[in-house]
Amino acid sequence: MLNLIQADLFKMHKSMAIKILFSITTISALAMTVLAYLLEQGQIDAGMIGIGFMFSDVNMVSILGAVLAGVFICGDFDNKTIHDAISSGSSRGTVIVSKAIVFFCGIGFILLPYAIVTGIALWTGFGFNMGAVSVGFLNNLTQASTAAFQASNLLKFLLIALILIIVYASQLSVCVPLAFILKKPVLVVPIYYVISLLGGQLSLLAASSPGFNRIFSLTPFGGSYSFLDLNAQAADIFKAILVSVIFIIIMLAITYAAFRKAEIK
Amino acid sequence: MNDGVLKINNLTKTYKGTDVLHNVSITLEAGKIYGLIGQNGAGKTTLMRLIAGLSFPKSGSIELFGHTGEKALETERKRLGAMIEYPGLTPNMSAGDNLKLHRIMRGIPNKEVEAELLTLVGLGETGKKKAKNFSLGMKQRLGIAIALLGNPELLILDEPINGLDPIGVVEIRNLLIKLCEERQMTILISSHNLPELYQTATDYIIIHKGEIKQTLTLEQLEENCRHHILISCDQPEKLTSILEMALNTTNYKVMPDQSVKLYDYLDDKALVARLIFENGIIVTNFSIEGDTLENYFISVVGGESHA
């Protein structure tokens, strides 16, 4: 499995797609932060919140994360890298796990600009605001700016950033079975985007229905896991990790069940 | 060497209720080049995909290097190199990077193997040119180089000469023959190009509509394609002595059914017929037999009759 992971990391390192996605998230993270700052300062109209959300991590990762799955998993069916791995003796389970690990590494990489920009922005002590649409790193930006960001918070912020990346990776793990079954990026990207939109709508439903909330919080889309910030308690963090990891395992198990005896065209 | 590299027993593969392979049984021995001959849709690629683990049979078994069962086959496939349908390349990478990717994937530590293989397939000078800008022939060569990574004991190549120019065809043919001879590599090649296979393979497997129609060696194929006068008669022993005494030839063969194949006097059939008649032999068949490679193939798969 290590060979496959190493090979995929080599491919990712050589890939133009990951560089483009990283550039997009870097620009988006900067744009999100600048807009949040200008909104807080009142220098731009509140109507720009929609634009600000467009650049936010939750929105960008729901599109670019699925693109990443398209490029690195579906693309490997086109390039027959998966065929070669199997015909040279790798088990299908190994292929799935290695692809998922590298996919999650890729998600972490493209989310890195959000973590770095948010960390720097908080360090400046400036105020940021994006209103009610704040989720993920944007939420950290707007929540923490109400209180002074101290050096002691840095480690906790790094932990929160890591957990948020895990939560996003868990949400995007839905793309793994989609990519292995559908094999077409053109299908994986819109389907996942719809799933992420649906997740947002179900969050609203969960807010008004305690029963549904309990069920929904068993997925990384629910339970306010995307709203973890510096005020999060150890129990929140632990639960976010637990739910995310179990959800990833379930997604990989579904992928294995579907791919175990599948024809590889 | 006669070690069984691959044994396939009664393999059946079904797509949407139709048998695309039906009770296929073949055995490949070490150090031979097997030509898998068949029309489009005959089941060549399906058979190769099953061997490579890209597809699963409905019934039957595959034994690779003496091992069978899903787990064991996975392990044994590490001794296999394959290029099926078209070469699997990462388009934005150079030939060297493509090889490096697959080398890492297979856990081969020796970096020098990349340059060696590129030189071996004639791509040593491609530098940083990306695979997406390669001609079809160059892609085929790179696909073969990838398949050769790790010095496989069984090499499976599906239409490897597709897109190659005439010089490329000769180079790849010589490479395969060299690999077979020097490394005792067993090679299974599929092709539509019968004359090309004829110059490369040592053994032939003719497949048609999912069934193995015939397996034969190069010698048997040559024998079957060689033009001759086929004579069936009531006294084959007397006939052979006439051939030797009166026609002064030993260039004939007595077949198991006691018919005689005479490879001389094809241009003077009347002389042979007259001699037989004059010696009181009752002839039940006297015909010119033998095929071109194409006609022989067609006759085996049940198309037009022999020429």
Side-chain angles (χ1 to χ4, degrees):
Chain A
M1 184 184 304
L2 283 175
N3 296 338
L4 295 183
I5 293 171
Q6 207 183 339
D8 274 345
L9 288 174
F10 170 72
K11 197 162 82 169
M12 193 174 270
H13 162 69
K14 288 278 175 181
S15 162
M16 183 54 76
I18 192 79
K19 287 164 191 156
I20 292 170
L21 295 180
F22 185 79
S23 305
I24 292 171
T25 54
T26 303
I27 293 164
S28 299
L30 289 168
M32 174 191 84
T33 309
V34 169
L35 286 170
Y37 174 74
L38 294 176
L39 271 165
E40 174 67 13
Q41 297 296 311
Q43 292 182 30
I44 57 171
D45 188 71
M48 292 295 284
I49 283 177
I51 304 289
F53 178 74
M54 193 181 78
F55 290 116
S56 70
D57 43 315
V58 68
N59 190 52
M60 293 308 290
V61 85
S62 63
I63 301 168
L64 301 185
V67 170
L68 199 65
V71 171
F72 286 102
I73 302 177
C74 302
D76 277 357
F77 281 102
D78 289 338
N79 301 337
K80 300 182 95 175
T81 313
I82 289 176
H83 301 58
D84 195 61
I86 289 167
S87 66
S88 57
S90 297
S91 74
R92 294 185 180 217
T94 306
V95 170
I96 291 168
V97 174
S98 64
K99 288 277 165 222
I101 288 171
V102 176
F103 172 51
F104 297 147
C105 289
I107 291 165
F109 182 66
I110 64 170
L111 278 170
L112 214 53
Y114 282 102
I116 293 168
V117 170
T118 304
I120 293 170
L122 292 177
W123 189 260
T124 61
F126 295 148
F128 300 91
N129 182 24
M130 197 63 83
V133 298
S134 304
V135 185
F137 288 105
L138 181 57
N139 181 53
N140 271 269
L141 200 61
T142 56
Q143 292 296 315
S145 61
T146 55
F149 186 76
Q150 296 166 352
S152 58
N153 289 342
L154 182 64
L155 275 180
K156 187 163 186 187
F157 173 73
L158 289 176
L159 178 67
I160 294 295
L162 180 66
I163 307 302
L164 281 174
I165 289 172
I166 292 171
V167 170
Y168 281 134
S170 180
Q171 291 177 355
L172 281 158
S173 67
V174 174
C175 292
V176 178
L178 287 176
F180 270 94
I181 295 164
L182 300 172
K183 301 180 180 75
K184 301 280 178 200
V186 74
L187 297 174
V188 174
V189 175
I191 289 174
Y192 181 73
Y193 194 66
V194 169
I195 290 171
S196 69
L197 289 178
L198 194 65
Q201 295 305 309
L202 292 175
S203 295
L204 297 176
L205 178 63
S208 59
S209 166
F212 179 71
N213 187 41
R214 273 196 295 278
I215 298 166
F216 195 49
S217 64
L218 296 174
T219 75
F221 296 97
S224 304
Y225 304 124
S226 303
F227 293 91
L228 286 180
D229 58 25
L230 291 172
N231 301 317
Q233 301 300 306
D236 301 329
I237 292 171
F238 179 72
K239 197 176 171 193
I241 295 172
L242 192 68
V243 166
S244 297
V245 170
I246 291 173
F247 192 78
I248 287 171
I249 292 169
I250 292 169
M251 285 301 118
L252 297 191
I254 290 170
T255 311
Y256 183 68
F259 187 61
R260 194 172 68 93
K261 289 282 180 185
E263 296 285 323
I264 306 175
K265 303 266 173 160
Chain B
M1 283 179 74
N2 284 323
D3 303 337
V5 171
L6 173 73
K7 282 182 188 167
I8 290 177
N9 298 310
N10 299 317
L11 204 67
T12 296
K13 172 70 186 172
T14 306
Y15 280 125
K16 295 176 183 171
T18 308
D19 281 3
V20 289
L21 285 181
H22 184 70
N23 279 337
V24 166
S25 296
I26 54 169
T27 299
L28 306 192
E29 292 171 358
K32 291 186 174 181
I33 302 176
Y34 290 86
L36 184 61
I37 314 169
Q39 294 169 295
N40 288 333
K44 304 186 295 291
T45 301
T46 303
L47 180 60
M48 290 180 157
R49 285 166 47 77
L50 286 164
I51 299 166
L54 302 175
S55 186
F56 295 93
K58 180 187 171 195
S59 60
S61 66
I62 297 172
E63 188 182 310
L64 206 49
F65 302 106
H67 295 85
T68 190
E70 210 172 306
K71 269 284 154 204
L73 284 176
E74 266 174 24
T75 307
E76 296 306 320
R77 283 194 185 103
K78 295 187 194 305
R79 300 161 73 180
L80 184 152
M83 184 182 77
I84 298 174
E85 288 174 294
Y86 58 90
L89 310 174
T90 306
N92 283 313
M93 283 188 187
S94 66
D97 282 343
N98 264 289
L99 265 183
K100 185 175 180 179
L101 172 71
H102 289 268
R103 178 183 64 75
I104 296 170
M105 209 160 79
R106 293 184 198 192
I108 301 165
N110 181 13
K111 291 178 184 176
E112 280 112 54
V113 77
E114 294 162 22
E116 281 170 22
L117 283 173
L118 286 177
T119 307
L120 195 67
V121 297
L123 292 176
E125 307 297 321
T126 52
K128 291 186 175 178
K129 187 175 181 176
K130 290 180 176 173
K132 66 181 176 186
N133 298 322
F134 282 8
S135 66
L136 182 58
M138 289 168 82
K139 287 178 182 170
Q140 289 289 103
R141 286 165 187 260
L142 183 52
I144 292 169
I146 290 170
L148 286 172
L149 271 166
N151 200 12
E153 289 163 68
L154 172 60
L155 183 64
I156 296 175
L157 300 174
D158 191 8
E159 307 277 355
I161 57 165
N162 267 4
L164 291 178
D165 54 49
I167 294 170
V169 169
V170 175
E171 284 175 0
I172 295 299
R173 181 204 305 152
N174 292 340
L175 170 66
L176 297 179
I177 292 170
K178 190 176 155 192
L179 288 168
C180 177
E181 286 174 355
E182 291 181 2
R183 303 187 191 181
Q184 280 292 297
M185 196 179 278
T186 307
I187 304 174
L188 178 65
I189 320 172
S190 74
S191 183
H192 298 112
N193 190 330
L194 300 179
E196 177 49 38
L197 269 188
Y198 183 67
Q199 293 183 69
T200 312
T202 59
D203 291 75
Y204 299 85
I205 301 163
I206 299 176
I207 186 169
H208 184 62
K209 292 183 177 170
E211 292 184 16
I212 301 294
K213 290 290 180 182
Q214 198 169 66
T215 54
L216 68 172
T217 62
L218 177 62
E219 291 73 28
Q220 287 170 325
L221 180 67
E222 283 176 338
E223 172 67 31
N224 290 344
C225 289
R226 194 172 166 194
H227 281 79
H228 57 269
I229 302 170
L230 181 66
I231 308 164
S232 301
C233 62
D234 63 339
Q235 299 171 73
E237 286 171 11
K238 189 175 178 183
L239 172 63
T240 55
S241 67
I242 291 167
L243 294 177
E244 289 182 20
M245 305 296 288
L247 294 176
N248 201 27
T249 179
T250 53
N251 196 9
Y252 65 85
K253 188 178 272 183
V254 180
M255 304 309 290
D257 65 353
Q258 297 300 303
S259 62
V260 175
K261 287 182 175 181
L262 174 63
Y263 299 104
D264 283 344
Y265 295 95
L266 286 157
D267 296 332
D268 202 357
K269 299 181 285 289
L271 172 66
V272 180
R274 196 176 67 240
L275 269 171
I276 293 171
F277 177 74
E278 285 172 359
N279 283 279
I281 296 170
I282 299 171
V283 174
T284 53
N285 182 61
F286 188 96
S287 57
I288 302 292
E289 300 285 340
D291 277 327
T292 62
L293 204 56
E294 285 83 359
N295 280 339
Y296 180 72
F297 170 72
I298 290 166
S299 71
V300 170
V301 301
E304 295 164 21
S305 59
H306 288 232

